[in-house]
Amino acid sequence: EGFEKQFAHDEELRFKAMASRNKMLGLWAAGILGKSGTEADAYAKEVVLADFEESGDNDVVRKVVKDLAAKGIGEPEVRAQMATLLAQAVDAIKKSG
């Protein structure tokens, strides 16, 4: 039972970290696209929702790469940014509780 609770807790933290990373990624991409304020927030939500299309990160990567292609930003840059933002999200969650 203790193991099951720990597993559930770890899964919840993983979900929160990934959602936070995706939101930050959306805000990062929105800035590159020249969006700000509510427009940037709306775009970030689109990125978060893209993660529910399939398991894994490919759905998010595909959306952001497609949207940033005209700006000359490709998959390697997007994946690198995702790794950086995931580390930031995990740190923020650990600090908050």
Side-chain angles (χ1 to χ4, degrees):
E1 188 175 309
F3 175 76
E4 289 174 5
K5 284 183 182 178
Q6 182 63 42
F7 179 78
H9 176 73
D10 290 350
E11 283 297 301
E12 180 182 346
L13 290 180
R14 182 179 168 284
F15 177 80
K16 286 181 182 178
M18 297 302 266
S20 179
R21 179 211 56 194
N22 291 341
K23 181 178 180 185
M24 290 188 290
L25 181 70
L27 292 173
W28 170 77
I32 293 169
L33 293 168
K35 298 175 188 289
S36 61
T38 56
E39 197 177 32
D41 290 337
Y43 180 80
K45 285 180 186 174
E46 288 178 26
V47 173
V48 170
L49 292 174
D51 195 27
F52 295 103
E53 291 174 13
E54 61 186 58
S55 63
D57 292 335
N58 290 335
D59 42 6
V60 172
V61 172
R62 199 169 33 252
K63 176 183 180 26
V64 175
V65 167
K66 179 176 76 73
D67 294 346
L68 295 181
K71 300 291 185 180
I73 296 174
E75 186 173 334
E77 296 90 346
V78 170
R79 287 196 182 274
Q81 186 68 14
M82 288 172 81
T84 299
L85 294 173
L86 181 58
Q88 291 176 14
V90 168
D91 284 347
I93 289 170
K94 285 181 179 177
K95 287 177 183 170
S96 71

